[in-house]
Amino acid sequence: FDSATKKVTVDYSDVTCNNEAYDAFYTLSTFQVKGAQTENVVLTRPFAQINIGTNDYEDSRKAGYVPTQSTVTVSDIYNVLNLWNGEVTGETSVTFKADAIDRNQDFPVPGYEYIAMNYVLVPSTKRLVDVEFTYTDGTDAKTRTVGSVPVQRNYRTNIYGQLLTSDVDINVTIDPIYEGENPVDGKYTYFVVDTDEKLKAALTSNHEHIYVELTGDVTYDVAAWDTYAMGGDKTNSITINGEKVITRGTAPTRILTFNQTNSDWNNIATKNGAKLILKNLNVTNEGHNNGPWNRHDLNFACDVEMENVVSDKAIALKAGGVLNGVTINDENTSDTYALWIQPNGQVVTLNGCTINMPAEDAGRGIKIDEQYVDEVKAPTLNVSGTTFITKEKAAVLVKSVDGAIINWGVGNSITQVKADSEYPVWIDEDAAAYADKVIVNGASVRIEGSIVAKTEDELKNALAKASYIYLAAGEYKFPTSSFKAGQTLICEEGVVFTGLSKLNIKGATVIGAKFSNPSGTAVDQTINGTFKNCTFEGSNALRSCYAGETVVFENCVFSGSVYGIHFDGGENDAIFRKCQISGFNAFGAKLTQLTLEGCTFVGNGKSGYNGANLWGSAKMIACEFTFNGTAATEWIDCIGADKTYEFTNCTVNGVAYTPNNYTEYGKIFSRVDKKIVKINGVDCEM
């Protein structure tokens, strides 16, 4: 002990294993003496305890191998402790000597016997060290090396397995030496692997958490489906680490090859839904560098996490994925994407990645594609800090009937996307009909093959040339006469058509527009076409309108100081799905059929009326009527004398509207005396 520096040096010279005399405690307490007093002093153990045990001594003895001596070497520990602040210095490696087996002590894990127990000086936070233990029967020495072993002050690390007879059965756990509320930390079954055979043994074992450290380049067979699925029935996670310790951004050196064993696409799978974690690796697919993409990409059928991984093949994800610092360098000319995400409702996250697809006739970045998917469910893709280097198409291309949710974060770069360095997300033209289901936050989106317009003149020119037009944010006049049947106008958030708009666009579709005329009517006269995700607002949102053909509104909002929706007629159907409707609403008797499905009627505090006048036949399916006093008059008028009215699965103020309780809501109907209204398929007299 040096009284000047308050430091004590641990003497590791000639230290032996299994010696409790090397354990010690310390503390620093300061207090003022005030006569008779009691002070509680808590001692701290600055050491970690490392225990090495085996359960195959008898098997080894029967096989003729009886170890008589062992040594244990621990690297990256310390030999100087500052008693003032608890910091450690003097990084060193120490070799402990011991008899091979100490059968007189109880190993912390039942069923195992001690090879060695050591105390080592470590910091107060968890640290990874290397442990090498060698044992000999006097003629034949055997050595086991375990890297990245967690140690922590006052914690006990247990290394155990069939250490005398197996090269791969190694378990590592770390837990507090004293009982308390601290959880078990870092429990896994540990394998050191340098051959294909050892890798197969490790990856097909049935442990809860499998951890494989590679000390050589290895190959694992995969097949079309799950013939070679990894893990066992109780496996929750499988980690394969190529480097013991590595700094983010440092290129990995170990190579893990997934060897495809048939001509169909490979399928990297785990049993029991276990998560696969790949760290500090180069990954590839052996022997398939041409032909269709499904022969040479890496197809993950399980949840996968990757960190500091480099792949020279395209990657496909059927399930969730987290990619941190991953690089995809695919120069194969028959690949059309670097990362393919099947839309199965999963979440995929990229952070700090590089998508490098330099081939002239290939080179897409990420594709969300429903091919081979039976039940398409929109996935969520989160991208940040990622660079795209591609020769073809967009950074992200979507083909999905259920769309996708894409969160475009900060730090992404698409300046090296040859086809389009302005719009990160494209929608495949074959999926253009579902463009409204692709939700992109933080970036612009366009349909493949569409024309982008940014002025009124550009919009008119685009309508003369293209089937799909993407309109940038801004204020415009609606060019009614320029539309043709079959065209679709996709509006960026912030597109507003001002003044009085006429929507006679027979056979065309408008998505995402706002029609606004605060001082008058937003839309009047004949309406044709389909409108999705649109907003209509003004003193009248719709006034004196007619259905020139079957008119469809989906996910639209109608809000007028007087009229929200006003159809005088038109001998065609009017369909409203999942719309929010407020103001005074009236639907004329000449409408062939009015269908309101999943709509909500609410008061807007502007009109004196909340609800709807139904002059023609109407079907109300899963609609919600909020009649809560926000308007002077709140009702649904079923007016037509010879018309039919059906209410199915509707609610009033959150209460189901049924044949059993409809009379309680009689006041919400006007001019319906003795009228038969069908409620959930049952005829009810009003």
Side-chain angles (χ1 to χ4, degrees):
F1 173 68
D2 186 333
S3 59
T5 63
K6 305 296 191 297
K7 294 180 180 180
V8 62
T9 299
V10 179
D11 185 4
Y12 288 116
S13 60
D14 296 324
V15 68
T16 60
C17 295
N18 305 332
N19 191 338
E20 292 284 356
Y22 288 95
D23 193 9
F25 299 84
Y26 82 102
T27 191
L28 173 66
S29 298
T30 59
F31 48 87
Q32 184 177 1
V33 177
K34 297 180 179 180
Q37 64 185 64
T38 301
E39 296 289 341
N40 295 321
V41 177
V42 179
L43 295 175
T44 299
R45 174 189 276 112
F47 296 105
Q49 187 187 80
I50 298 178
N51 303 285
I52 302 173
T54 190
N55 67 349
D56 57 354
Y57 176 80
E58 289 298 329
D59 291 340
S60 179
R61 183 184 61 80
K62 291 176 182 178
Y65 188 88
V66 180
T68 58
Q69 193 175 37
S70 66
T71 59
V72 179
T73 300
V74 185
S75 64
D76 304 322
I77 59 173
Y78 297 86
N79 64 2
V80 177
L81 171 66
N82 188 320
L83 297 178
W84 189 261
N85 56 24
E87 293 180 354
V88 292
T89 54
E91 189 169 343
T92 186
S93 296
V94 179
T95 298
F96 302 84
K97 298 177 182 179
D99 293 332
I101 299 291
D102 187 344
R103 310 193 74 181
N104 296 317
Q105 293 192 59
D106 293 329
F107 193 78
V109 180
Y112 291 83
E113 297 178 293
Y114 265 108
I115 290 178
M117 182 272 288
N118 324 294
Y119 287 99
V120 292
L121 184 63
V122 295
S124 58
T125 57
K126 188 168 66 175
R127 181 176 179 81
L128 300 180
V129 302
D130 290 343
V131 177
E132 178 183 276
F133 48 97
T134 300
Y135 46 89
T136 180
D137 64 352
T139 58
D140 182 16
K142 296 183 179 182
T143 299
R144 300 285 182 267
T145 301
V146 186
S148 302
V149 173
V151 294
Q152 187 172 345
R153 182 175 297 176
N154 204 44
Y155 272 60
R156 176 174 55 200
T157 296
N158 301 316
I159 304 171
Y160 58 98
Q162 294 178 339
L163 304 186
L164 302 180
T165 60
S166 172
D167 291 337
V168 297
D169 183 10
I170 301 177
N171 305 272
V172 179
T173 63
I174 176 174
D175 54 30
I177 290 178
Y178 296 114
E179 293 183 359
E181 297 182 356
N182 293 313
V184 174
D185 185 5
K187 184 175 183 178
Y188 52 82
T189 303
Y190 194 99
F191 299 88
V192 179
V193 167
D194 59 359
T195 67
D196 298 351
E197 292 75 18
K198 291 180 181 179
L199 179 65
K200 183 177 181 180
L203 295 184
T204 56
S205 61
N206 189 19
H207 297 285
E208 185 176 1
H209 299 286
I210 299 171
Y211 192 105
V212 175
E213 181 183 321
L214 300 184
T215 57
D217 298 339
V218 290
T219 297
Y220 187 77
D221 287 341
V222 294
W225 301 113
D226 60 355
T227 305
Y228 301 102
M230 293 176 279
D233 294 336
K234 67 179 184 180
T235 302
N236 288 329
S237 73
I238 300 171
T239 301
I240 306 175
N241 186 12
E243 305 284 346
K244 178 181 60 180
V245 179
I246 197 165
T247 303
R248 172 70 67 82
T250 302
T253 59
R254 297 294 179 210
I255 301 174
L256 172 60
T257 300
F258 292 100
N259 177 42
Q260 189 171 327
T261 58
N262 58 28
S263 59
D264 200 354
W265 57 353
N266 65 19
N267 204 64
I268 302 167
T270 60
K271 292 182 180 179
N272 196 37
K275 178 176 290 185
L276 178 62
I277 303 169
L278 304 177
K279 301 173 66 175
N280 308 315
L281 287 167
N282 294 286
V283 292
T284 188
N285 177 7
E286 185 175 77
H288 295 283
N289 292 312
N290 49 44
W293 58 265
N294 55 298
R295 295 191 65 199
H296 52 78
D297 73 335
L298 295 172
N299 180 44
F300 291 90
C302 56
D303 275 346
V304 62
E305 291 185 9
M306 302 184 197
E307 182 173 356
N308 196 37
V309 170
V310 177
S311 175
D312 66 353
K313 306 293 183 182
I315 293 174
L317 300 177
K318 288 185 176 181
V322 177
L323 280 61
N324 292 314
V326 173
T327 298
I328 303 176
N329 290 319
D330 187 3
E331 299 189 25
N332 193 291
T333 57
S334 61
D335 263 344
T336 54
Y337 61 84
L339 178 63
W340 173 36
I341 301 170
Q342 288 190 340
N344 290 311
Q346 74 273 47
V347 177
V348 176
T349 299
L350 277 69
N351 181 37
C353 297
T354 299
I355 305 295
N356 185 28
M357 295 283 283
E360 289 293 337
D361 54 351
R364 298 181 191 179
I366 300 173
K367 188 174 185 183
I368 298 172
D369 195 328
E370 64 194 21
Q371 188 178 20
Y372 304 114
V373 179
D374 294 329
E375 185 179 355
V376 179
K377 295 181 180 179
T380 298
L381 172 62
N382 307 308
V383 186
S384 61
T386 295
T387 298
F388 293 82
I389 305 169
T390 63
K391 300 294 185 182
E392 181 191 351
K393 309 256 178 169
V396 181
L397 182 66
V398 181
K399 182 181 180 183
S400 166
V401 297
D402 199 42
I405 300 172
I406 300 173
N407 298 309
W408 193 258
V410 298
N412 297 313
S413 173
I414 63 169
T415 59
Q416 298 180 77
V417 177
K418 185 176 180 180
D420 187 350
S421 59
E422 183 176 0
Y423 292 86
V425 181
W426 282 11
I427 299 169
D428 191 300
E429 57 188 333
D430 292 338
Y434 311 100
D436 59 308
K437 295 187 176 183
V438 179
I439 309 301
V440 181
N441 300 308
S444 299
V445 59
R446 60 177 291 193
I447 294 175
E448 182 181 14
S450 66
I451 295 178
V452 177
K454 297 183 179 180
T455 66
E456 288 184 3
D457 287 340
E458 288 181 359
L459 175 56
K460 292 178 181 179
N461 291 334
L463 287 167
K465 298 176 182 179
S467 297
Y468 298 97
I469 301 92
Y470 188 83
L471 184 59
E475 292 190 1
Y476 304 86
K477 295 296 182 181
F478 193 76
T480 305
S481 60
S482 299
F483 278 85
K484 300 180 180 64
Q487 288 184 312
T488 299
L489 176 64
I490 312 292
C491 299
E492 185 179 59
E493 184 178 359
V495 169
V496 182
F497 292 106
T498 60
L500 178 61
S501 297
K502 300 183 185 303
L503 305 183
N504 189 2
I505 55 169
K506 188 171 183 178
T509 300
V510 177
I511 299 174
K514 176 185 282 189
F515 297 88
S516 179
N517 188 7
S519 61
T521 297
V523 175
D524 73 353
Q525 298 187 19
T526 300
I527 298 179
N528 289 308
T530 298
F531 302 87
K532 299 179 179 181
N533 304 331
C534 293
T535 298
F536 303 87
E537 61 183 23
S539 60
N540 296 290
L542 272 61
R543 180 72 184 265
S544 301
C545 295
Y546 301 83
E549 61 181 6
T550 296
V551 182
V552 179
F553 297 90
E554 293 185 4
N555 296 304
C556 293
V557 176
F558 301 87
S559 179
S561 299
V562 181
Y563 276 106
I565 301 172
H566 181 242
F567 269 86
D568 274 346
E571 295 181 4
N572 292 287
D573 292 354
I575 300 172
F576 296 79
R577 299 190 183 101
K578 297 181 180 179
C579 294
Q580 181 171 307
I581 303 167
S582 61
F584 186 14
N585 304 287
F587 301 89
K590 290 187 177 181
L591 286 174
T592 307
Q593 178 69 57
L594 170 67
T595 301
L596 294 152
E597 182 176 357
C599 295
T600 302
F601 288 84
V602 296
N604 61 7
K606 300 175 182 178
S607 172
Y609 181 92
N610 173 25
N613 283 357
L614 308 177
W615 294 89
S617 296
K619 292 182 178 180
M620 319 286 278
I621 305 168
C623 290
E624 164 67 16
F625 304 102
T626 303
F627 295 145
N628 54 13
T630 55
T633 305
E634 299 180 318
W635 58 25
I636 298 295
D637 283 352
C638 300
I639 301 172
D642 58 346
K643 305 301 180 179
T644 60
Y645 299 94
E646 299 179 33
F647 294 81
T648 304
N649 297 329
C650 293
T651 59
V652 179
N653 294 343
V655 179
Y657 187 59
T658 71
N660 296 324
N661 69 0
Y662 78 95
T663 56
E664 299 175 24
Y665 302 102
K667 291 183 179 180
I668 73 171
F669 293 93
S670 173
R671 289 172 282 184
V672 294
D673 188 43
K674 302 300 182 181
K675 179 175 289 298
I676 299 299
V677 174
K678 195 177 290 294
I679 302 176
N680 293 347
V682 178
D683 289 341
C684 300
E685 184 180 52
M686 293 299 191

